[in-house]
Amino acid sequence: METRIFVIETKNTHYVLGVDKNGRVNHIHWGGKADADDYEVTENWEQNSNHSELDYTNFEYTVFGGTMYRNCAFKCEYFDKCRDSVFAFKDAREAEGELDIILTDEPYNIDLVLSYRYSKDTDIITRYVTVKNNSEHTLKIEKFMSAELTLPDSAPYEVKNPNGAWGSEFLTETTLLKNGTLTFESRKGTAGHTNSPYAIMSKNADEEHGDVFFAALGYGGNFKVEIQRDFVGITRAILGISDFDFSYLLKSGESLTSPKVYMGYTYGFEKMSNMMNDFAVKNILPKSFADKPLPVLYNSWEATEFNVNAQQQLKLAKIAKEIGCELFVMDDGWFGRRYNDWGGLGDWVVNEEKFPNGIDELIDGVNELGMNFGLWFEPEMVQDDSDLFKAHPDWIYHYPNREAMKLRHQLVLNLTKPEVKEYVFDCMDKMLEKHNIRYIKWDMNRPFSEIGTENLENGQELWLRHTQAVYEIADRLKEKYPYLQLEACSSGGGRAEYGAMEHFDMVWTSDNTDPVDRLDIQHGFSLLYPIKCMRAWVTDTNLTRRPVTLDFRFNVSMQGSLSIGSNLLNFSQEDIEKSKHYVELYKSFREVIQFGDFYRLRNFDEDGYYATQYVSKDKSKSVLFIDSNANSFFNKQFRSIHLKGLDPNVKYKLTDGERTVVKSGAYFMNKEYAIRLDRPLMSKIIILDRK
Ligand code: DGJ
């Protein structure tokens, strides 16, 4: 076969693949640009009794078969029990910003289509794979990953990923991968709180320097990220649906498309975060609200938990309005027999004891105050103490000879059954049809267990089918109610990833609202996820955790999508006035936070305080947040910092609450901004306006 080269050109990078003379698609290059005609398909010479030439060949999408022993992106079993795949180049479709490479395993008539979508405005390439069964037989897919990335340069890479937990999401660890495979995975049904479905691989990198290769998966079911460094020193990453307890029967004539991967190469983590932030706003988040600033919301959960009624919620709503909230969200507790976390889930009808005059008494009241109304659901769940469970005990995932284990006293609904999926959609649809609900917080509070599905021919499809069902319901709701905003939540940040963000407008970041912990959580979130999607509540952690001032709590929450979750009924007039001030201030620069460029200037580990700066795209406004930690060493209070992202040639008026100075952007970026951290847990908001 004649060799061919395909060069994908982005703003600053080339991504190159080639077809070798055996028809195999090789990976050739990913990184900075060269002359397009420099690239060539090289022949591999190495072969000995223990290593075939495959060990020395970089494939664009490695399949299991022959003497291929490293991690594969694809594995299947053909109808005749053959589990050895040989995919060769068949065709290519090229259009502006689009490349599809079609591979085929000819004797079995199965195609793999490797898709690439890209543009010259960014360095992010979107990738996905489609498997097409053109044969008369059923194909059993055993591993089906979205993309494989081969990194240049055989020196080892540092890999970043969170090692989190509930309440400690996004606590990022860095591992030097010299040997073997590093796996980040979820087997829980959702992405979960521990690892994130992404790969960040860098060399000698910090915020501003060093090669950074990254890829994020748009899928929040069971996922897997495998990063392997082989004996030659090549590092490869494979991202996709986890192959743990997974297989899929692809019938004759059917095709299956993988979730997307968004990948990029850049220099320094700062550019990576900003590139991904901008790309997500433009290309990933649901279109209806992607480019609109998100409202300041009030959420009732921490104030009233399950104990809700119209009068008390209205009292909260009045104060929420007074301090400037634009949306009032009633959280858990409004439906069925929901008096605590032992019952009610599944019965999505208003609890008449709590709302004897119906829920419109509250919704109308909230609307009259001039706020939109939002409501909490946990649609994938059911509890023993519910009418739904009594009517349909077989609607949960279950096995006849195993007791269904409960977590938070609840069971997971089998959304792979069409009637269950329909029921869930209908319940939410009915509430939206009857009431002026403009926001839904979709929660999910336990991992799966006893995952039996008597309805499926192949039970191992449930993980994928469940996740698809969640996305499908979210999309249908958004289509029918274009004004509806959706928040994805899973016991805090268990669904804070790009799979959810393709369908939900924002995510709940963590149930840990302690502002000091939160700074680390938000820092980790900001690496690859868009700032505007990060809901951040001001709550009463000062009463339960540690005495942190309201100023500090606002300061931290203003660094994302500001939200309030305090019990406002206990607020003093001074607290109300202060809150009013901060909400108004936030609104004055909300677009800078939610859509601006973003700089992580300092963190606790580096210099004992956080400094986070946002700059509007036109560089006319910037906001800098400073948060010191709990130490206050004498004589270590004077710090200085270089600001970033300003226009060096214009003057800015800097106001930090104590002083106002006018100096050039160049001065603040090259000389300094001097800070005094004279108290533990001190916070400051510094605003710069172009003169
Ligand atoms: C877990 C969520 O993370 C909380 O914000 C709250 O909605 C509770 N569930 C309600 O049960």
Side-chain angles (χ1 to χ4, degrees):
M1 187 182 272
E2 214 181 301
T3 61
R4 281 182 73 171
I5 297 272
F6 298 92
V7 179
I8 291 174
E9 185 168 5
T10 68
K11 196 173 177 185
N12 301 295
T13 71
H14 273 165
Y15 185 91
V16 186
L17 23 147
V19 183
D20 69 16
K21 64 179 188 329
N22 301 312
R24 302 177 309 190
V25 179
N26 293 1
H27 174 80
I28 295 181
H29 171 69
W30 184 24
K33 294 183 186 181
D35 292 341
D37 59 8
D38 288 342
Y39 301 116
E40 56 184 329
V41 185
T42 47
E43 289 219 12
N44 295 305
W45 44 270
E46 188 65 45
Q47 174 109 308
N48 55 52
S49 58
N50 280 298
H51 294 287
S52 83
E53 49 109 22
L54 300 192
D55 280 347
Y56 306 93
T57 308
N58 292 325
F59 291 108
E60 183 54 16
Y61 189 74
T62 303
V63 299
F64 174 76
T67 54
M68 174 51 73
Y69 305 109
R70 60 179 182 249
N71 293 333
C72 295
F74 184 80
K75 183 174 183 294
C76 71
E77 183 178 287
Y78 297 109
F79 74 97
D80 61 356
K81 304 282 175 222
C82 169
R83 298 194 303 282
D84 187 280
S85 289
V86 180
F87 280 92
F89 179 78
K90 179 168 150 188
D91 202 358
R93 282 189 295 261
E94 288 179 275
E96 176 77 33
E98 296 186 6
L99 173 66
D100 289 331
I101 301 282
I102 303 150
L103 310 170
T104 194
D105 194 341
E106 217 187 310
Y108 292 101
N109 214 356
I110 304 292
D111 287 354
L112 284 176
V113 184
L114 313 183
S115 296
Y116 304 80
R117 300 291 177 264
Y118 54 97
S119 90
K120 290 218 183 119
D121 301 339
T122 173
D123 287 314
I124 308 252
I125 303 172
T126 301
R127 287 177 62 178
Y128 52 92
V129 181
T130 304
V131 49
K132 288 187 171 171
N133 183 353
N134 304 317
S135 75
E136 291 167 3
H137 307 280
T138 296
L139 173 74
K140 185 177 178 204
I141 301 170
E142 293 178 350
K143 188 172 185 188
F144 181 41
M145 305 297 268
S146 297
E148 176 169 355
L149 286 52
T150 303
L151 306 191
D153 193 321
S154 53
Y157 281 80
E158 286 191 327
V159 178
K160 282 192 191 303
N161 202 279
N163 182 9
W166 173 57
S168 323
E169 295 87 339
F170 300 109
L171 301 185
T172 308
E173 301 285 0
T174 305
T175 311
L176 179 67
L177 178 59
K178 291 179 93 168
N179 185 15
T181 300
L182 198 54
T183 302
F184 304 113
E185 188 178 17
S186 169
R187 301 177 176 188
K188 292 181 157 183
T190 58
H193 305 82
T194 306
N195 299 150
S196 281
Y198 64 57
I200 301 176
M201 296 148 300
S202 61
K203 259 196 194 137
N204 304 318
D206 58 25
E207 288 294 325
E208 294 176 345
H209 313 97
D211 285 327
V212 180
F213 293 86
F214 61 95
L217 178 70
Y219 181 73
N222 283 359
F223 72 87
K224 192 170 191 178
V225 177
E226 292 174 300
I227 309 168
Q228 183 175 32
R229 183 162 184 263
D230 70 10
F231 66 92
V232 187
I234 299 297
T235 301
R236 300 180 182 85
I238 302 179
L239 298 89
I241 298 167
S242 173
D243 57 342
F244 176 80
D245 192 45
F246 170 78
S247 63
Y248 194 95
L249 298 180
L250 195 68
K251 300 284 165 61
S252 165
E254 285 183 351
S255 62
L256 179 68
T257 298
S258 75
K260 291 181 177 128
V261 158
Y262 309 102
M263 62 174 217
Y265 158 67
T266 192
Y267 209 58
F269 297 119
E270 191 174 280
K271 284 213 182 82
M272 170 187 81
S273 303
N274 281 300
M275 197 194 292
M276 216 36 219
N277 196 19
D278 295 347
F279 183 84
V281 168
K282 213 167 154 201
N283 301 289
I284 302 179
L285 305 180
K287 286 277 166 281
S288 40
F289 293 101
D291 60 355
K292 308 207 174 43
L294 293 178
V296 177
L297 69 73
Y298 179 80
N299 180 294
S300 67
W301 171 244
E302 294 206 11
T304 50
E305 295 205 341
F306 305 98
N307 205 357
V308 294
N309 64 59
Q311 283 65 39
Q312 150 240 49
Q313 294 291 298
L314 273 172
K315 274 193 204 152
L316 285 167
K318 274 192 195 116
I319 310 173
K321 174 66 189 174
E322 192 185 339
I323 65 177
C325 294
E326 297 153 310
L327 171 74
F328 182 87
V329 183
M330 178 163 61
D331 209 276
D332 203 343
W334 58 270
F335 53 91
R337 293 191 284 285
R338 189 68 165 170
Y339 295 98
N340 46 43
D341 63 9
W342 283 80
L345 294 175
D347 296 344
W348 301 108
V349 287
V350 178
N351 179 311
E352 288 176 5
E353 203 181 332
K354 297 186 186 188
F355 295 91
N357 306 321
I359 199 173
D360 279 340
E361 183 182 1
L362 171 61
I363 299 179
D364 292 348
V366 166
N367 291 161
E368 274 158 29
L369 286 167
M371 286 184 292
N372 282 328
F373 180 79
L375 199 56
W376 180 96
F377 285 85
E378 194 175 353
E380 295 150 85
M381 298 292 158
V382 69
Q383 286 177 304
D384 287 350
D385 188 11
S386 69
D387 294 343
L388 179 67
F389 189 73
K390 293 201 166 73
H392 300 286
D394 58 331
W395 275 16
I396 57 165
Y397 293 116
H398 66 283
Y399 290 115
N401 294 320
R402 294 279 176 259
E403 190 189 338
M405 257 184 60
K406 293 191 192 102
L407 287 169
R408 212 192 188 203
H409 323 292
Q410 58 195 60
L411 297 156
V412 187
L413 284 173
N414 178 355
L415 284 195
T416 73
K417 288 188 175 181
E419 63 275 27
V420 181
K421 189 166 68 176
E422 221 38 48
Y423 169 83
V424 168
F425 174 80
D426 280 352
C427 291
M428 300 171 89
D429 183 37
K430 275 194 193 108
M431 286 300 292
L432 288 160
E433 256 181 3
K434 282 198 241 147
H435 309 286
N436 189 18
I437 298 165
R438 306 223 143 209
Y439 186 101
I440 284 178
K441 177 177 170 190
W442 179 313
D443 204 346
M444 200 291 187
N445 284 305
R446 63 153 292 176
F448 297 19
S449 62
E450 298 82 32
I451 27 80
T453 48
E454 75 282 6
N455 56 309
L456 295 181
E457 179 186 345
N458 171 24
Q460 292 190 316
E461 289 172 22
L462 96 134
W463 306 104
L464 174 62
R465 288 185 183 277
H466 184 104
T467 308
Q468 287 171 331
V470 170
Y471 296 161
E472 187 191 313
I473 298 169
D475 291 351
R476 277 176 73 190
L477 292 173
K478 273 191 153 284
E479 202 183 320
K480 186 159 176 197
Y481 304 97
Y483 54 77
L484 183 68
Q485 293 191 341
L486 293 179
E487 174 182 351
C489 167
S490 179
S491 297
R495 257 192 188 142
E497 33 68 26
Y498 277 116
M501 290 178 209
E502 288 177 3
H503 308 271
F504 294 76
D505 304 287
M506 66 208 90
V507 297
W508 179 220
T509 320
S510 175
D511 280 343
N512 184 346
T513 54
D514 174 274
V516 183
D517 288 355
R518 194 65 179 220
L519 284 163
D520 288 331
I521 293 172
Q522 295 187 175
H523 184 253
F525 182 99
S526 77
L527 270 181
L528 219 51
Y529 294 126
I531 300 294
K532 73 172 294 224
C533 291
M534 187 175 79
R535 275 283 166 207
W537 301 353
V538 173
T539 66
D540 301 326
T541 49
N542 56 313
L543 304 174
T544 50
R545 306 249 314 174
R546 53 184 138 191
V548 181
T549 62
L550 190 56
D551 306 88
F552 193 101
R553 284 178 277 144
F554 262 100
N555 183 303
V556 174
S557 295
M558 287 162 88
Q559 299 178 37
S561 269
L562 176 64
S563 318
I564 319 288
S566 290
N567 190 346
L568 300 175
L569 303 178
N570 296 333
F571 264 29
S572 65
Q573 198 51 40
E574 193 192 330
D575 293 338
I576 292 177
E577 292 308 322
K578 203 170 251 184
S579 304
K580 228 192 232 176
H581 160 74
Y582 282 120
V583 172
E584 204 179 311
L585 187 63
Y586 180 77
K587 287 179 184 167
S588 75
F589 53 58
R590 141 169 67 187
E591 305 228 356
V592 183
I593 308 292
Q594 296 192 12
F595 301 104
D597 290 329
F598 167 72
Y599 302 94
R600 289 173 290 260
L601 303 181
R602 291 285 195 284
N603 60 53
F604 284 158
D605 284 347
E606 270 176 351
D607 207 11
Y609 70 104
Y610 265 94
T612 312
Q613 190 195 352
Y614 302 76
V615 184
S616 64
K617 291 283 178 200
D618 68 0
K619 299 186 183 292
S620 65
K621 195 170 186 82
S622 178
V623 187
L624 169 66
F625 295 93
I626 304 284
D627 306 275
S628 70
N629 71 8
N631 302 332
S632 64
F633 298 111
F634 304 156
N635 283 324
K636 285 222 174 226
Q637 43 183 280
F638 298 102
R639 302 295 218 292
S640 69
I641 197 166
H642 285 165
L643 302 190
K644 287 188 177 175
L646 304 174
D647 182 341
N649 303 315
V650 303
K651 297 273 188 197
Y652 288 88
K653 185 176 88 178
L654 178 149
T655 325
D656 67 5
E658 284 155 32
R659 62 197 164 131
T660 298
V661 288
V662 176
K663 289 184 188 295
S664 66
Y667 180 90
F668 291 124
M669 292 196 293
N670 299 329
K671 171 74 173 87
E672 66 182 356
Y673 167 65
I675 316 161
R676 187 170 183 183
L677 303 173
D678 54 356
R679 276 168 291 125
L681 298 177
M682 191 211 89
S683 66
K684 257 182 191 303
I685 299 173
I686 295 108
I687 299 175
L688 290 100
D689 281 299
R690 188 162 59 197
K691 282 290 282 174

